[in-house]
Amino acid sequence: MNTEQVSNRYAEASERYKERGVDVEKALEKLQSVKISMHCWQGDDVIGFLNPDGELSGGIMSTGDYVGRARNPEELRQDIDKALSLIPGKHKLNLHAMYVDTDEVIDLNEIEPRHFEKWVGWAKENGLGLDFNPTFFNHKMFKDGYTLAHPDKKVRDFWIEHGKRSRKIAEYFGKELDQVSFNNFWVPDGMKDNPIDRLSPRKRLMESYDEIFEDNVNPEYTIDTVESKLFGIGAEAYTVGSHEFYMGYGISRNKTILMDAGHYHPTEVISNKISSLALFSDQLMLHVSRPVRWDSDHVVIMDDELQEIMKEIVRNDLLDRTAIGLDFFDATINRIAAWVVGVRNAQKALLKALLEPIEELKEAELAFDFTKRLVYTEEMKDLPFGDIWNYFCMKNNVPVGLDWYDDVKAYEQEVLSNR
Ligand code: RNT
Ligand code: ZN
């Protein structure tokens, strides 16, 4: 499609939405302002640069050996640049501590802001924000299935130090880039088989966190988030940091609760949790991921749950209070395509949610007019949403429709296949 066709279709589509009382321009303005936190770890299968020959541990798994895994920070940034050039808008990169960029030989309990200076320089050049995560896996101190909940204080102390340092780095990101950096704590701690004592590890985890969070950091620059999980590989029977653990911890300690779409029972959805959490917490963060039968971290597609998540955020006016991050890792496909599909889908689902006649639907519901509610929401599905999305891409100078795929293929031939 050429520019004129895209514009014409946009004009027509806008009319259709207008008939339903939807202000398309306003929706696009909103969409433009939303930053998605794109996770760096799709680019190298969650290996990192601290221990490049190491294996992924912590009960998560990436499978596949597609050509072109990024092996160092330069390659990873080059790949991220490529992906971002195909995604409309300005976003954030979500870094893990193990993605340090330094010539010094350092360990997780020694990281400092200067080990991330290159990432910050790159983010500044590209007008991006940075989020952060301490890394509680891929390391020899992840012992006996435990980190912060380990019975041995020496093991806990190693990780407590790491956690403390991660907060200084996130604070530095926020200050340098003049926008808040979310710093997410997730630990894999758990047991393969049924424990005798479920309480003590949880108490240790709570006390370790309390120590980590003792230090003051500037809330304008960084916000701590805590991520729960149902189970991991090797922690099938018991995961210390469960949903209830972090609900209690987050609410009582004023920490932001992060919900990952893959971290609940298979029929349990985070879309139905957002509204409850929003009543008790000012800030929310999500890991938008796609579980397939279990916490499998598949690339995010335009499925019902993705759309439901975005609808919940938009209908309840929570966009300004909800940080949206992505979390998946698929090594069986082109990794840049994985990012582009995932981020673009998150944005598309958000746009769909923004293109609803929300007030009218709420009124119908309040008047118990469930017929109208059903009829309208079903008919809305047929409106030419794709024409609005294409126009948004064009306005942002990124490829429209399938055009981006050729770009990724060319990059694979020129760059990735030579690695
Ligand atoms: C693991 C969590 C966590 C990780 C990243 C790499 O189950 O979802 O968010 O995926 O920290
Ligand atoms: Zn996650």
Short mmCIF file of all heavy atoms in Angstrom, two decimals, residues 227 258 260 263 287 327, ligand 2:
data_model
loop_
_atom_site.label_atom_id
_atom_site.label_comp_id
_atom_site.label_asym_id
_atom_site.label_seq_id
_atom_site.Cartn_x
_atom_site.Cartn_y
_atom_site.Cartn_z
N GLU A 227 7.78 -9.92 41.66
CA GLU A 227 7.06 -10.81 40.73
C GLU A 227 6.88 -12.20 41.33
O GLU A 227 7.83 -12.87 41.71
CB GLU A 227 7.86 -10.92 39.42
CG GLU A 227 7.22 -11.83 38.39
CD GLU A 227 8.04 -11.92 37.10
OE1 GLU A 227 9.18 -11.40 37.07
OE2 GLU A 227 7.55 -12.54 36.14
N LEU A 258 4.13 -7.11 40.52
CA LEU A 258 4.21 -7.40 39.08
C LEU A 258 3.52 -8.73 38.82
O LEU A 258 3.86 -9.74 39.45
CB LEU A 258 5.68 -7.44 38.63
CG LEU A 258 5.91 -7.63 37.12
CD1 LEU A 258 7.24 -6.97 36.70
CD2 LEU A 258 5.90 -9.08 36.67
N ASP A 260 2.87 -11.62 36.06
CA ASP A 260 3.30 -12.21 34.78
C ASP A 260 2.18 -13.11 34.30
O ASP A 260 1.70 -13.98 35.05
CB ASP A 260 4.60 -12.99 35.00
CG ASP A 260 5.17 -13.59 33.72
OD1 ASP A 260 4.41 -14.28 33.00
OD2 ASP A 260 6.36 -13.40 33.45
N HIS A 263 2.25 -16.92 35.11
CA HIS A 263 2.64 -17.39 36.44
C HIS A 263 1.49 -17.83 37.33
O HIS A 263 1.58 -17.77 38.55
CB HIS A 263 3.46 -16.31 37.14
CG HIS A 263 4.83 -16.19 36.57
ND1 HIS A 263 5.84 -15.48 37.16
CD2 HIS A 263 5.38 -16.73 35.45
CE1 HIS A 263 6.94 -15.56 36.44
NE2 HIS A 263 6.68 -16.31 35.37
N HIS A 287 4.09 -8.43 33.28
CA HIS A 287 4.90 -9.11 32.28
C HIS A 287 3.92 -9.76 31.33
O HIS A 287 3.27 -10.74 31.69
CB HIS A 287 5.81 -10.17 32.89
CG HIS A 287 7.13 -9.64 33.30
ND1 HIS A 287 8.10 -10.41 33.90
CD2 HIS A 287 7.68 -8.39 33.17
CE1 HIS A 287 9.16 -9.67 34.14
NE2 HIS A 287 8.94 -8.44 33.71
N ASP A 327 7.71 -10.35 28.34
CA ASP A 327 8.61 -11.38 28.88
C ASP A 327 8.37 -12.69 28.13
O ASP A 327 7.42 -13.41 28.44
CB ASP A 327 8.35 -11.55 30.39
CG ASP A 327 9.31 -12.55 31.02
OD1 ASP A 327 10.28 -12.96 30.35
OD2 ASP A 327 9.10 -12.92 32.20
ZN ZN B 2 8.20 -12.52 34.13
#
